[in-house]
Amino acid sequence: MPLDSPEDAVVRYARCYIMYLLGGVLLPDKANNTVHICYLPLLANYDAISTYSWGSTILCWLYRAKCLATDYNVEGMSGCHTLLMSWIYFRLPFWALDVTSPYTFPLATRWAGKRGKNDYAEQRLQRHRLRLDTLKVDEFTWMSYRDARILLRVPAEFLGAPHGNFYIAVVPLILFRWIEIVNIDRVMGQFGGKQGPSNPPLNIDTFHRQSARNDDGWWPICLQTWFEVWVNRRTVSYRLQIDRADTLHPSCDYYMWYCARTKRFLSAPYVLNDPRGDDILQGAPAEYGRAPVVHLPAVP
């Protein structure tokens, strides 16, 4: 762009660059070579672009992409991989690439341009599975962003109102016709809260069956109640009350509930060479009770 470009030309370049960010970084599909036209009207009013909740939209698309990727026949995954990898590096530091550069904002830029080990994919898969199977409780960083070095780099507006009170809200994430639920009530450890056995998840298969190939004229009316929940996301009705825990170790009742509902190990039995017992950690709280409940609308 020429340095002496008039204001209207700067706006046009900005729109083009934002479209590139949407289609190539924040909301890419698996091909990652085109941008869906549905985002184009959102850039018509240049002054309104910064008022949209892009963060919740990116999370919605990433959640949906992860859900689709669980299909055995799916080989690729769409969504913002930069956000996903950054989350992994902060929560599981032993997987993070070895860097000595200071923290910057956005936080993911700390690993920009870095590459991991260039070994065979099958070897990486076995190595990662074994590392997860032998993971200790204290090796997962529940509240990684409490680090003073990180807090110094994050702009103040992200730590206080209006963003600060949004982290503990159980609300739908909405991207046009698609809806995903942020079930933070199932992961209370990220707030230093007591984690008891989780309540049954909301069945949103109706939303997952929607595709971009169908007529979308109905969704603003059919999903009106869900949009109202989003509008009221900062009210007490959808905000969790955090009961602080003395330790982030899982309670006995949660541990037994979890073991009965999941495949605990990814590696084959001969890899670990251990009896794979269900030994509960010493000093773990006996019982926290059920997680808090936040009531959401009925799924159509």
Side-chain angles (χ1 to χ4, degrees):
M1 181 178 62
L3 295 179
D4 58 348
S5 299
E7 180 67 20
D8 57 341
V10 174
V11 170
R12 287 198 299 271
Y13 273 95
R15 287 197 182 103
C16 293
Y17 182 68
I18 293 173
M19 282 290 283
Y20 158 74
L21 287 179
L22 294 179
V25 180
L26 304 177
L27 298 162
D29 56 19
K30 288 194 294 185
N32 199 21
N33 59 0
T34 56
V35 185
H36 200 288
I37 197 173
C38 65
Y39 304 117
L40 194 57
L42 301 178
L43 308 183
N45 185 350
Y46 183 75
D47 295 328
I49 294 174
S50 61
T51 66
Y52 302 143
S53 181
W54 294 104
S56 65
T57 300
I58 295 165
L59 275 181
C60 179
W61 186 245
L62 180 60
Y63 283 10
R64 179 175 174 83
K66 291 169 63 180
C67 181
L68 294 175
T70 59
D71 190 320
Y72 183 79
N73 297 316
V74 174
E75 297 181 355
M77 193 182 94
S78 56
C80 185
H81 294 182
T82 303
L83 175 61
L84 180 60
M85 293 304 299
S86 175
W87 186 95
I88 293 173
Y89 289 166
F90 275 105
R91 305 287 181 166
L92 301 168
F94 55 82
W95 263 346
L97 303 178
D98 189 14
V99 295
T100 57
S101 56
Y103 289 102
T104 55
F105 190 83
L107 298 177
T109 57
R110 191 165 190 244
W111 294 285
K114 305 296 182 180
R115 298 182 65 87
K117 294 183 179 180
N118 190 24
D119 52 2
Y120 291 106
E122 187 66 25
Q123 293 178 351
R124 287 200 305 270
L125 179 61
Q126 293 181 3
R127 186 173 71 250
H128 293 334
R129 282 177 173 174
L130 184 61
R131 190 64 182 86
L132 284 175
D133 288 340
T134 57
L135 183 68
K136 305 298 182 183
V137 173
D138 297 328
E139 291 182 306
F140 188 89
T141 307
W142 282 106
M143 295 184 289
S144 57
Y145 307 127
R146 297 287 181 88
D147 190 317
R149 296 172 297 174
I150 296 177
L151 293 177
L152 289 174
R153 297 296 182 180
V154 178
E157 61 265 23
F158 288 99
L159 303 176
H163 302 282
N165 60 357
F166 180 47
Y167 301 142
I168 57 174
V170 179
V171 293
L173 302 176
I174 303 175
L175 172 58
F176 298 112
R177 70 173 71 244
W178 298 301
I179 288 183
E180 296 286 342
I181 307 298
V182 185
N183 290 306
I184 62 172
D185 54 318
R186 302 174 72 87
V187 196
M188 300 294 287
Q190 62 183 321
F191 307 110
K194 297 179 179 180
Q195 179 66 70
S198 298
N199 299 292
L202 189 65
N203 188 327
I204 56 174
D205 287 346
T206 300
F207 301 138
H208 283 183
R209 285 193 291 266
Q210 305 303 323
S211 71
R213 296 188 178 96
N214 301 328
D215 176 38
D216 63 351
W218 59 271
W219 64 265
I221 299 176
C222 184
L223 304 180
Q224 182 177 359
T225 55
W226 289 87
F227 282 95
E228 292 176 356
V229 171
W230 171 256
V231 171
N232 298 315
R233 63 191 180 277
R234 306 193 191 282
T235 62
V236 178
S237 302
Y238 303 106
R239 191 180 307 164
L240 286 180
Q241 299 299 320
I242 307 298
D243 190 5
R244 302 293 175 180
D246 296 330
T247 174
L248 293 180
H249 287 196
S251 61
C252 298
D253 62 337
Y254 175 80
Y255 185 77
M256 300 305 296
W257 173 89
Y258 176 81
C259 292
R261 288 165 171 79
T262 186
K263 179 180 177 181
R264 291 186 55 215
F265 299 99
L266 301 173
S267 305
Y270 62 83
V271 175
L272 290 177
N273 295 320
D274 66 12
R276 298 191 170 205
D278 292 338
D279 295 331
I280 299 176
L281 293 170
Q282 293 184 354
E287 183 177 352
Y288 280 147
R290 285 278 175 178
V293 179
V294 175
H295 298 284
L296 295 173
V299 178

